[in-house]
Amino acid sequence: MAVEFNKRIALTGFMGVGKSSVARHLAHSLRCERTDLDNVIEEAENRSIADIINTDGEARYREIETSNLESVIADKTVRILSLGGGTWTVEENREMLKKSGFISVWLESSFEHCWMNIKFSHKVRPLAKNKRNARKLFEERQKIYCLADWHFIVKPEFTSFDVASRILEELIS
Ligand code: S3P
């Protein structure tokens, strides 16, 4: 079912929470394109994110991420945007998103749920190489993710379609 809603939505949350899949369902319901920041970066750089982080380091990766975010949000046709798990942790990125009229939605889930998805995914995530480091990052980031405009709890039994439908119900009501 197509839904009338013309605001811009940016999805944030930890790796493995399902930002990209939820964005796909949101875009489908809203009959618009979705943009995945990680994909944009990989296309612009012509190499994988793992390659960028492993070769140039995380600090350089964050610069590349911010510059790609800036180009993406300058394109007013971009309405549904899934961020990388660390994008929202950079203040400059949060400010840019806010100024450009994005509603930020934090997809929150338990660490164990995210970790299961990270473990069984084909996506290479250099910042979640082992469970201990990933948990530390997860814990450090909670207080930053909660700065998002909206907060949605993703239970393990929810499909990404369920999550997208519930987000739309809440945002539209
Ligand atoms: C990162 C998350 C990844 C990707 C990069 C860094 C992070 O995206 O942007 O590996 O810092 O949490 P996903 O959240 O889509 O895995």
Side-chain angles (χ1 to χ4, degrees), residues 122-160:
H122 294 299
K123 185 168 177 177
V124 182
R125 292 175 164 105
L127 302 182
K129 276 197 191 120
N130 63 61
K131 193 171 179 180
R132 208 164 138 257
N133 288 2
R135 188 194 294 279
K136 188 167 172 280
L137 205 55
F138 178 92
E139 283 164 5
E140 284 167 4
R141 287 180 175 176
Q142 297 303 295
K143 59 180 182 302
I144 309 178
Y145 289 138
C146 77
L147 300 173
D149 300 319
W150 280 78
H151 171 197
F152 190 88
I153 296 183
V154 179
K155 297 195 178 153
E157 65 269 24
F158 291 171
T159 64
S160 38

Side-chain angles (χ1 to χ4, degrees), residues 5-163:
F5 183 77
N6 48 23
K7 301 235 165 63
R8 307 177 93 186
I9 300 175
L11 296 178
T12 183
F14 200 66
M15 293 174 260
V17 77
K19 299 177 291 292
S20 305
S21 316
V22 171
R24 198 166 42 241
H25 288 292
L26 281 175
H28 182 78
S29 299
L30 296 170
R31 303 259 159 93
C32 62
E33 296 292 318
R34 58 135 190 166
T35 305
D36 185 288
L37 184 60
D38 286 356
N39 291 345
V40 170
I41 295 170
E42 290 188 334
E43 272 176 35
E45 288 285 306
N46 201 20
R47 54 189 175 143
S48 70
I49 286 178
D51 193 11
I52 305 172
I53 296 178
N54 291 332
T55 311
D56 298 356
E58 188 187 344
R60 174 67 192 133
Y61 171 68
R62 294 296 168 209
E63 290 172 2
I64 294 172
E65 184 179 47
T66 295
S67 119
N68 279 279
L69 178 67
E70 197 173 2
S71 324
V72 163
I73 64 186
D75 176 354
K76 296 283 182 254
T77 65
V78 171
R79 287 179 48 207
I80 304 296
L81 174 62
S82 49
L83 303 171
T87 319
W88 184 254
T89 64
V90 177
E91 190 180 359
E92 186 182 352
N93 298 344
R94 295 197 296 275
E95 289 304 319
M96 273 199 283
L97 286 158
K98 218 170 276 174
K99 277 196 197 125
S100 313
F102 276 89
I103 298 177
S104 48
V105 178
W106 171 26
L107 301 184
E108 183 190 5
S109 195
S110 66
F111 173 72
E112 291 300 332
H113 179 220
C114 294
W115 180 249
M116 279 292 282
N117 291 335
I118 291 171
K119 227 170 62 176
F120 292 111
S121 151
H122 294 299
K123 185 168 177 177
V124 182
R125 292 175 164 105
L127 302 182
K129 276 197 191 120
N130 63 61
K131 193 171 179 180
R132 208 164 138 257
N133 288 2
R135 188 194 294 279
K136 188 167 172 280
L137 205 55
F138 178 92
E139 283 164 5
E140 284 167 4
R141 287 180 175 176
Q142 297 303 295
K143 59 180 182 302
I144 309 178
Y145 289 138
C146 77
L147 300 173
D149 300 319
W150 280 78
H151 171 197
F152 190 88
I153 296 183
V154 179
K155 297 195 178 153
E157 65 269 24
F158 291 171
T159 64
S160 38
F161 175 78
D162 294 335
V163 177

